[in-house]
Amino acid sequence: MMLIVVRGAGDIATGIALRLWRAKISVVMTDLEWPTAIRRTVCFSQAIPLGETTVEDVTARRAEDAAQARALLAQGVIPVLADPEGRCIPVLRPDGVVDAILAKKNLGTKITGAPVVVGVGPGFTAGVDCHAVVETMRGHYLGRVLYHGSAQPNTGIPGLIGGFAGERVLRAPAKGLFHPRKEIGDRVQEGDTAATVDGVPMLCTLDGVLRGILPEGTPVFPGMKAGDIDPRCEIAHCHCASDKALAVGGGVLEALLALSGAVAAENKV
């Protein structure tokens, strides 16, 4: 069975993992010791602080090392390691590596890291630091696989959902520790206090459902992405992978299968 390491375990990376896992591909994920994903109900990164989490019908558990990751795979769950540097990769020797950290720049992934390396979003160039890049910008090219060149550059403006773009994102109002007043799935109105940072309120920017928010005690800085409001008001959307995550996941699956087939063909020659 093919083994893939996905760097990052946020909402987009989780959509990728769901696509791969359901295609009978073994997946190991890595993230920070204290993950900063805001859509926590649909992020396998939550297995790190919680020990275990389930997204849709797939369960992930924290693993402490590569050996434990292999044992968890044998149990039918996705292992998630607190390993932002990807130290487990040379130990696991996977068939492919997917960089889905979404840092808008390459944080160390190299084209030599595995037989197939896929970069997700801006910051990668196919043929230079990876074999393929998958587009993450909403629109006509979302999920498209690029075997040459790079994804569209980051605009800093979130994609349009329910008629709203940048207004959907809630940002920390100050430096300090984050204290949420609302929970994921809560209905909110413009002007509501979603959280405070050292007494400074983080106000809701529009009416909708709180789709994501940082956990209690997270250290933040002014302007840091700290929450997400969905104006479509579908609470069910808080508990399943997004259309964007699954579209990107489909592109990653295509790239891995196409490039793995090419590698296998070359090895036969």
Side-chain angles (χ1 to χ4, degrees), residues 9-11 14-15 18 37-47 50 52-58 183-186 209-215 228 234-242:
D11 61 313
T14 297
L18 289 172
I38 62 171
R39 294 204 60 212
R40 293 175 285 123
T41 50
V42 291
C43 292
F44 284 138
S45 60
Q46 289 303 290
L50 300 179
E52 179 177 303
T53 193
T54 298
V55 178
E56 297 187 13
D57 58 347
V58 179
E183 298 296 333
I184 294 174
D186 286 352
V209 166
L210 195 63
R211 191 171 68 155
I213 194 165
L214 290 173
D228 183 299
E234 291 286 346
I235 295 176
H237 291 178
C238 300
H239 302 286
C240 60
S242 69

Side-chain angles (χ1 to χ4, degrees), residues 6 9-22 29 39 41-44 55-56 98 100 102 120-121 134-139 142-144 161 211 232 237 239-254:
V6 178
D11 61 313
I12 300 298
T14 297
I16 293 169
L18 289 172
R19 286 289 203 201
L20 302 185
W21 191 258
R22 289 167 177 161
M29 307 185 79
R39 294 204 60 212
T41 50
V42 291
C43 292
F44 284 138
V55 178
E56 297 187 13
V98 178
L102 300 185
V120 178
V134 177
E135 181 60 65
T136 57
M137 184 176 289
R138 285 187 181 274
L142 177 63
R144 187 175 295 270
I161 292 180
R211 191 171 68 155
R232 296 169 296 186
H237 291 178
H239 302 286
C240 60
S242 69
D243 54 345
K244 177 177 178 177
L246 293 180
V248 173
V252 170
L253 177 60
E254 174 189 328

Side-chain angles (χ1 to χ4, degrees), residues 9 32 49 115 123 129 132 135 158 161 200 207 243:
L32 302 169
D129 49 12
E135 181 60 65
I161 292 180
V200 182
D207 298 351
D243 54 345

Side-chain angles (χ1 to χ4, degrees), residues 5-14 28-38 43-49 62-63 79-88 100-102:
V5 171
V6 178
R7 298 191 67 197
D11 61 313
I12 300 298
T14 297
V28 174
M29 307 185 79
T30 67
D31 210 299
L32 302 169
E33 178 67 39
W34 299 105
T36 57
I38 62 171
C43 292
F44 284 138
S45 60
Q46 289 303 290
I48 294 176
R62 175 167 178 153
V80 187
L81 293 90
D83 179 16
E85 295 83 15
R87 294 186 300 270
C88 68
I101 297 173
L102 300 185

Side-chain angles (χ1 to χ4, degrees), residues 106 109-112 124-133 147 149-150:
N106 189 337
T109 291
K110 298 180 179 179
I111 197 170
T112 55
F124 303 95
T125 301
V128 177
D129 49 12
C130 60
H131 298 98
V133 177
Y147 297 100
S150 306

Side-chain angles (χ1 to χ4, degrees), residues 62-261:
R62 175 167 178 153
E64 299 304 326
D65 53 34
Q68 190 175 11
R70 289 191 181 280
L72 289 174
L73 286 173
Q75 297 173 33
V77 298
I78 293 178
V80 187
L81 293 90
D83 179 16
E85 295 83 15
R87 294 186 300 270
C88 68
I89 295 172
V91 180
L92 289 170
R93 300 179 64 185
D95 300 292
V97 169
V98 178
D99 190 320
I101 297 173
L102 300 185
K104 318 303 184 199
K105 60 183 179 180
N106 189 337
L107 296 180
T109 291
K110 298 180 179 179
I111 197 170
T112 55
V116 177
V117 178
V118 178
V120 178
F124 303 95
T125 301
V128 177
D129 49 12
C130 60
H131 298 98
V133 177
V134 177
E135 181 60 65
T136 57
M137 184 176 289
R138 285 187 181 274
H140 184 75
Y141 298 106
L142 177 63
R144 187 175 295 270
V145 182
L146 307 173
Y147 297 100
H148 303 281
S150 306
Q152 298 178 70
N154 179 40
T155 64
I157 301 173
L160 199 67
I161 292 180
F164 295 91
E167 308 96 322
R168 296 188 294 105
V169 177
L170 304 181
R171 298 190 180 277
K175 180 180 179 180
L177 297 181
F178 190 81
H179 303 291
R181 294 276 190 87
K182 302 287 186 181
E183 298 296 333
I184 294 174
D186 286 352
R187 292 186 181 274
V188 297
Q189 293 183 321
E190 183 178 354
D192 287 352
T193 298
T196 60
V197 180
D198 286 355
V200 182
M202 183 178 79
L203 302 180
C204 295
T205 49
L206 50 85
D207 298 351
V209 166
L210 195 63
R211 191 171 68 155
I213 194 165
L214 290 173
E216 171 68 34
T218 302
V220 296
F221 55 83
M224 179 176 171
K225 187 176 180 180
D228 183 299
I229 297 175
D230 190 335
R232 296 169 296 186
C233 295
E234 291 286 346
I235 295 176
H237 291 178
C238 300
H239 302 286
C240 60
S242 69
D243 54 345
K244 177 177 178 177
L246 293 180
V248 173
V252 170
L253 177 60
E254 174 189 328
L256 289 171
L257 293 179
L259 291 168
S260 296

